[in-house]
Amino acid sequence: MTMLCDGMLLGADGGAPPPPVFVSAASASVGMSTNVTVSKPAGAQVGDLFTCIIWGDSNFITATGALAGWTVAGSAFTGNLRCAILTHTVDGTEGSSFNFSLANSGVKNATIICTRGGTGAIDVIGTKTEASSTTATAASINATKSGLLLSSFAIAANNRTVYSPPAGLTQRSLLSTNYSSAVYELSISPAGATSAASLTWSSSATTSAGIQIQLY
């Protein structure tokens, strides 16, 4: 038997809410700009979590003040491909798009993943793995809770398609303008170490990278 409490669906024991599930995604890419504007993901409801993953080049120094109402949950600002991860809980006051303002002009790819359920929080963010290869790897993380695993990949080149996707994961976003980037997801339970995820792009470039993010 389940029960409703303050609008949240609880388990039979009245404990934790059900794990998060994917709702929708929206992506955008720019070349040589300080700003990148992403549409609001379709079907979002109050209480949903937006997780924005931004990839950029070496000009991408900081996401400080990226957008009011968003929290910088993690970042990797070293190497040729740099990454910021921001979160926002939907409150119903959002407009139709979000304009992320970053420190320096450069290539920027941004994807907002909308998820529903869970606590609306990130459990753990992995270490960005960067290499000069057609293969991008998102290293294993040690998830302390069951939830939804996001694996994001990027390569410093445009017009790249995915030659070999990561095994067992579902693609939720793919950009191939300016830089190329992709986001995949997988529900994991129970908690514990995840498997590393690898993606092979259609052709090479100077740098490829990957990172894993666990929502719960």
Side-chain angles (χ1 to χ4, degrees):
M1 178 180 179
T2 58
M3 60 180 292
L4 286 173
C5 179
D6 293 332
M8 181 178 290
L9 182 64
L10 302 179
D13 59 359
V21 295
F22 172 83
V23 176
S24 61
S27 300
S29 179
V30 295
M32 298 311 296
S33 176
T34 57
N35 297 341
V36 57
T37 300
V38 187
S39 297
K40 182 178 180 179
Q45 299 178 4
V46 172
D48 289 350
L49 179 70
F50 287 164
T51 302
C52 183
I53 305 167
I54 306 176
W55 288 100
D57 59 18
S58 57
N59 287 322
F60 178 13
I61 296 174
T62 177
T64 302
L67 189 67
W70 289 75
T71 299
V72 180
S75 59
F77 293 136
T78 59
N80 295 319
L81 274 169
R82 307 190 178 196
C83 183
I85 297 154
L86 303 94
T87 60
H88 169 76
T89 300
V90 178
D91 61 13
T93 66
E94 299 83 7
S96 60
S97 64
F98 303 95
N99 182 36
F100 297 93
S101 178
L102 301 158
N104 288 14
S105 181
V107 176
K108 312 275 190 310
N109 279 14
T111 296
I112 299 176
I113 299 291
C114 177
T115 54
R116 183 169 301 149
T119 65
I122 286 179
D123 176 32
V124 64
I125 297 173
T127 300
K128 183 196 68 171
T129 304
E130 186 173 291
S132 179
S133 172
T134 56
T135 299
T137 300
S140 173
I141 58 175
N142 189 25
T144 66
K145 303 176 185 296
S146 299
L148 190 72
L149 180 70
L150 300 179
S151 296
S152 184
F153 307 90
I155 189 167
N158 63 2
N159 297 322
R160 298 306 192 262
T161 58
V162 176
Y163 175 75
S164 178
L169 278 70
T170 301
Q171 186 184 89
R172 296 306 189 186
S173 172
L174 177 63
L175 288 167
S176 58
T177 303
N178 300 306
Y179 280 176
S180 302
S181 61
V183 179
Y184 289 76
E185 61 94 358
L186 173 71
S187 295
I188 61 169
S189 181
T194 67
S195 298
S198 292
L199 174 151
T200 303
W201 297 101
S202 55
S203 55
S204 63
T206 55
T207 310
S208 59
I211 196 166
Q212 289 193 344
I213 305 159
Q214 170 71 357
L215 312 178
Y216 73 99

